[in-house]
Structures are given as C-alpha cells and as structure tokens.
C-alpha cells in the first residue's frame, strides 16, 4: 500500500478534524485568490477606462485627479468649465495641428434610474464614431458598437445614447424618453425630454454606467447657457418653451443651436495625431500659457499614480492578512497531526514491527500533511472562483468592474507548489515524532 493511500485512510479515520483543518486552509487560499484576481482585474479596468485618447483638457481650478475622475470614471463634482472658444482651438485653432479628434464633454445633469443615479454627459457623436475605447489583442482599435439602435445625430438636438448598465438598471429602451435632472442630485429640476436612440454594447468601462446626450440639446436646457453678449438675441430655454404651439414633427422644437459665445465645456478628450503631439500640447497648455485657462492631463499617468498610491498599499495589506490566514491554517494542520500522534503511536509501532522503516513512517506523516494542504488548497481555488462568479454581477452593476468565474491570474499557479513546500515544513515536526517512536516501549504498553 502506498504512502498516499495510508495517509488518506489516516485522514478518513479523523474525518471531522481533517475536514475542519482542510476548510481553514481552503478559506485562506480562497481569500488569496480573491485578492489577487480582484486587484488585477480592477487595475486592468482602470487602465482600460483611460484609453482611446492621449490627453484630457479641463479647467485649471482643480486637481488633475479630480479632472480624470469626473471625465473618465464619471465620479465626483466636475471642475469649473472652460470657454467654448478654447475647445475650438483644438478643431480649427492653434492646437488643431496636433489634434486628430477633440471631443467636448459638458457635465452638470444626472438621471435617477431605479436605486441608482447616472451621470448625463453631453457630447458630440465623435465620441462613438472616432474614438476607440481600448485595443484588441491584435493591437487594433476597439471601437464602440451599438447593441440596439444607433448613434445620435448632430442635427437632432434631443437624442441620447445610453450605456449597457444604464439600460439594464433603468429599463430604458430605444425610442423611450427620459428627463435629465439638473445637477448631480435627484432634487434638481427636470429638463426637457431626450429620446433614447441607441444602447451601447457592453464595453467593461465606466461608460456602461453613463448617459450620453447631444451637446446641442444640452446647451438649450435651462441654466446651461451664458447670458447673451451685447447685440446677441436672448433665447428662451427649451424647458420654458410652450411646446403646444410647435410643429410636433420637429425634433428640435423649432430651436436653433446656441451661439458659441454662450457656450462652455467641462472637459475635452484629445486624441493626438502622433506620439510627440501630447508633449507639445502639454507644453503649450500647462507651461507656455501664463494665464493658465486650462490644464492638460495624461489620464494614464494619473490613473497609475492613483493605483500605486491607494490600491497598491491596500492590496499589500490584504495579501499580508491572507498569508497570515494560510500560516494559521498550516499551524492547525501541524497541531491536528501532532495531537494525533499519541493516538497513533501503537499503529506506528505495529507498522515498524511488520517491517516498515523509520523513513517510511515519516513519509506517511508528511504525505498526510501534504494531502491536507493540497485538498484544502484546491477547494480554496474552486471556492475563490465560485465567489468571483457569484459576486461578479453585483460588483459590475455598482462599479463597472467585470468579475467572472474564469478570471485567472498567473500568480495562482504558484499557490499549489507553494502549499506543497509549506505542508512539508509544517508536517516535519509530527513526522519527526513518528520517526522517533520507540517500538518496544509502545508495544509493551508504555506511553
């Protein structure tokens, strides 16, 4: 009979103690799996969200982290806006020579859907037509796709596109109308209705949790425009318009686009023409411009600093805790086997009397320790991934971070070999006790 089979039968004889010891090991390994996978998936998610453009340009009165969080992740209060004329520099002004695409963002509205509130981002169709949101495995651009419907049109002011999570949580469908709320809380005034014309396919980014409205319609809403300059005609916001006397077939309620002098933007996503252009723009905006109307931020660098400064230390703390849990589980294996040695001394003495060598007896005890760790470790891997699969939908709905049962990290492959080495060290003391068992005294009845 092999060492492994004898060790297995020893474990079966102490089924309850062995099961509890293996369970403690499984919990430690499962926790380590969760820490490893969730950390890496979160890092990947954050980095993916900041892809597709080289710079974010926003107001100078605020920090770069705030600018990235509000623009990329739709979190927090937006910075003070910048003039629309500054945005025009990227399309037809002094910065156009560096710019491939410049997409304006206007923030300030939200929509309450179910138990969640979603950010309304006013922008142009270029966001989905010309900006990628990541890269495919072959290096090609990953472009936005529509699960249903289409992109909104520039000349249809009150059209909107919603992210996949927004569609699922709110139940909004193509053709439905919704009213954005003025401000970032549900207590603001309701604006004129927008019509949903498209639902984005799942992207795994923060944009799944946002609503994108036509920027032309946004400017026409109450409280979104500057006071007209001298000589310009004052306009009535579409919210206060008497729509009963308007052509029902006119999707724009007879409104005309707002003059540029009455517009402003919260931020601008800039995709540059070449690799040197971001550095040139950074110099022009952040250093050369003494008045400092705006600031340019490379989102990738900000996200990296955020992860290294906050997520990294938290991960180290969690990893230390999980290692301690596994060490405690290993000690419980040691105690469990060691305490059983007095009960098994007679069996060991009989084995020795029948011809088993000291080395063989020691090998059986080590095999038992390794089996307990291996079975507990394998159960922990399955448990960890099962938890990922169970909590994945909930986490994705609330944070946008997609967790799946099959998410695997290469570091997990080090766990099982590590457990074998650890179990060998843990089982050495009880194995040494078995090695030293005195056959004559034990069979003679002495303890």
């Amino acid at each position: 009979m092999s060492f492994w089979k004898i060790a297995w039968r020893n474990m079966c004889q102490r089924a309850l103690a062995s099961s509890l010891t293996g369970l403690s090991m499984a919990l430690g390994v499962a926790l380590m799996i969760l820490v490893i996978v969730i950390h890496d998936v979160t890092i990947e998610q954050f980095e993916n969200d900041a892809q597709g453009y080289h710079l974010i340009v926003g107001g100078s009165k605020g920090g770069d982290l705030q600018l990235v969080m509000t623009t990329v992740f739709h979190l927090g209060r937006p910075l003070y806006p910048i003039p629309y004329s500054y945005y025009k520099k990227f399309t037809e002004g002094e910065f156009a020579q560096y710019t491939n695409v410049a997409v304006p963002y206007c923030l300030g509205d939200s929509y309450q859907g179910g138990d969640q509130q979603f950010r309304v981002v006013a922008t142009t169709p270029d966001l989905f037509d010309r900006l990628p949101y990541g890269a495919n495995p072959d290096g090609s651009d990953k472009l936005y796709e529509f699960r249903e419907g289409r992109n909104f049109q520039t000349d249809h002011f009150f059209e909107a596109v919603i992210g996949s999570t927004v569609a699922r949580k709110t139940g909004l469908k193509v053709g439905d109308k919704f009213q954005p709320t003025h401000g970032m809380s549900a207590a603001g005034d309701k604006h004129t209705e927008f019509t949903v014309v498209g639902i984005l396919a799942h992207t795994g980014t923060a944009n799944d949790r946002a609503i994108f409205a036509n920027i032309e319609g946004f400017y026409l809403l109450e409280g979104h425009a500057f006071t007209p300059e001298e000589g310009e005609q004052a306009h009535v916001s579409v919210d206060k318009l008497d729509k009963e006397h308007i052509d029902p077939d006119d999707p724009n309620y007879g409104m005309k686009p707002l003059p540029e002098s009455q517009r402003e933007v919260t931020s601008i996503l800039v995709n540059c023409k070449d690799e040197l252009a971001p550095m040139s723009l950074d110099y022009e905006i952040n250093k050369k411009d003494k008045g400092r109307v705006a600031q340019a931020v490379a989102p990738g660098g900000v996200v990296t600093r955020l992860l290294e400064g906050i997520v990294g230390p938290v991960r180290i703390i969690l990893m230390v805790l999980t290692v301690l849990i596994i060490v405690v589980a290993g000690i419980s294996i040691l105690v469990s086997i060691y305490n059983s040695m007095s009960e098994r001394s007679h069996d060991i003495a009989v084995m020795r009397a029948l011809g088993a060598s000291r080395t063989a007896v020691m090998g059986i005890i080590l095999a038992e320790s390794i089996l307990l760790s291996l079975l507990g470790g394998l159960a922990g891997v399955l448990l960890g991934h099962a938890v990922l699969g169970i909590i994945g939908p909930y986490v994705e709905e609330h944070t946008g971070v997609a967790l799946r049962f099959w998410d695997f990290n290469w570091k997990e492959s080090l766990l099982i070999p590590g457990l074998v080495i650890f179990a060998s060290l843990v089982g050495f003391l009880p194995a040494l006790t078995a090695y030293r068992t005195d056959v004559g005294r034990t069979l003679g009845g002495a303890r």
Side-chain angles (χ1 to χ4, degrees):
M1 188 176 291
S2 68
F3 291 177
W4 300 106
K5 189 171 289 186
I6 296 173
W8 173 254
R9 290 190 174 181
N10 285 338
M11 289 168 52
C12 291
Q13 283 182 346
R14 299 178 298 106
L16 180 59
S18 299
S19 300
L20 293 176
T21 305
L23 179 62
S24 64
M25 180 62 73
L27 291 176
V29 171
L31 188 54
M32 183 168 280
I33 294 283
L34 290 173
V35 172
I36 291 174
V37 173
I38 290 176
H39 174 265
D40 284 14
V41 170
T42 303
I43 295 285
E44 183 180 358
Q45 177 82 51
F46 271 64
E47 291 176 344
N48 285 343
D49 281 358
Q51 292 188 19
Y53 38 89
H54 300 95
L55 294 173
I56 299 174
V57 178
S60 60
K61 297 178 181 178
D64 54 359
L65 180 60
Q66 185 182 1
L67 177 59
V68 171
M69 294 301 289
T70 55
T71 305
V72 178
F73 304 106
H74 311 306
L75 297 173
R77 297 188 64 82
L79 270 63
Y80 194 79
I82 53 180
Y84 193 82
S85 57
Y86 202 90
Y87 159 66
K88 296 291 284 185
K89 290 184 178 182
F90 294 88
T91 58
E92 53 192 54
E94 59 185 292
F95 301 146
Q97 57 181 318
Y98 307 113
T99 307
N100 182 32
V101 185
V103 177
Y105 266 17
C106 285
L107 307 178
D109 286 349
S110 59
Y111 176 70
Q112 184 74 31
D115 59 346
Q116 290 189 32
Q117 195 165 17
F118 300 98
R119 180 69 54 89
V120 176
V121 180
T123 185
T124 64
D126 284 346
L127 176 66
F128 307 116
D129 290 341
R130 301 181 63 186
L131 275 187
Y133 70 93
N136 293 308
D138 61 359
S140 60
D141 288 339
K142 190 182 290 183
L143 302 175
Y144 288 98
E145 295 179 354
F146 286 87
R147 192 182 76 195
E148 295 178 36
R150 56 170 173 79
N151 198 354
F152 57 79
Q153 298 176 4
T154 305
D155 57 353
H156 285 60
F157 303 158
F158 301 101
E159 291 185 344
V161 166
I162 61 176
S164 59
T165 300
V166 176
R168 186 171 63 255
K169 294 292 292 184
T170 63
L172 287 173
K173 304 181 294 294
V174 172
D176 286 351
K177 296 180 182 296
F178 70 95
Q179 287 182 280
T181 301
H182 190 70
M184 298 302 173
S185 70
D189 295 331
K190 298 288 185 184
H191 286 307
T192 293
E193 292 179 332
F194 278 70
T195 302
V196 177
V197 296
I199 299 175
L200 291 175
H202 178 72
T203 63
T205 70
N207 286 348
D208 291 339
R209 294 177 282 113
I211 296 174
F212 300 91
N214 190 333
I215 198 169
E216 298 296 341
F218 176 87
Y219 286 130
L220 297 172
L221 301 176
E222 181 69 16
H224 290 179
F226 284 135
T227 304
E229 294 182 350
E230 187 175 350
E232 288 183 345
Q233 184 177 2
H235 84 287
V236 178
S237 76
V238 70
D239 294 334
K240 294 185 176 179
L241 207 62
D242 183 3
K243 301 183 178 66
E244 291 184 0
H245 304 290
I246 295 175
D247 181 1
D249 295 328
D250 185 353
N252 300 328
Y253 305 111
M255 304 289 290
K256 301 295 182 185
L258 206 65
E260 293 181 3
S261 60
Q262 296 181 38
R263 302 177 177 210
E264 59 185 357
V265 298
T266 307
S267 56
I268 308 166
L269 309 183
V270 181
N271 182 284
C272 297
K273 287 183 176 177
D274 53 56
E275 295 180 355
L276 296 179
M279 290 183 283
S280 301
L281 279 175
D282 178 73
Y283 173 76
E284 294 282 346
I285 298 171
N286 294 332
K287 298 174 183 174
K288 186 177 177 181
D289 185 3
K290 302 301 181 185
R292 196 71 189 280
V293 176
Q295 61 176 316
V297 174
V302 175
V303 170
T304 300
R305 290 203 305 274
L306 171 68
L307 296 176
E308 290 178 349
I310 299 177
V311 181
V314 172
R315 184 207 183 205
I316 292 174
I317 293 172
L318 291 176
M319 289 297 289
V320 169
L321 290 176
T322 55
V323 168
L324 288 176
I325 291 173
I326 291 179
V327 169
V328 170
I331 292 173
S332 70
I333 291 176
L334 185 153
V335 172
S336 174
I337 298 177
Y338 189 80
N339 287 341
S340 70
M341 294 310 298
S342 60
E343 301 170 3
R344 285 192 272 174
S345 59
H346 185 267
D347 297 338
I348 293 172
V350 170
M351 289 171 58
R352 290 286 315 283
L354 292 176
S357 65
R358 289 176 181 270
T359 307
V361 173
M362 190 174 180
I364 290 170
I365 301 302
L366 284 175
E368 185 175 338
S369 175
I370 293 172
L371 265 181
L372 273 172
S373 297
L374 274 179
L375 294 175
L378 291 173
V381 172
L382 289 175
L383 179 62
H385 283 274
V387 172
L388 285 175
I390 292 170
I391 67 173
Y394 177 83
V395 173
E396 186 172 359
E397 279 197 2
H398 288 79
T399 67
V401 177
L403 297 173
R404 292 171 290 270
F405 175 84
W406 54 85
D407 282 331
F408 179 82
N409 188 288
W410 66 270
K411 296 168 190 163
E412 295 180 45
S413 61
L414 303 177
L415 279 174
I416 299 303
L419 284 176
V420 171
I421 296 172
F422 181 60
S424 301
L425 296 174
V426 165
F428 184 75
L429 181 59
L432 188 63
T433 303
Y435 181 86
R436 291 175 174 170
T437 300
D438 189 317
V439 178
R441 291 185 61 192
T442 304
L443 291 180
R447 296 281 178 179

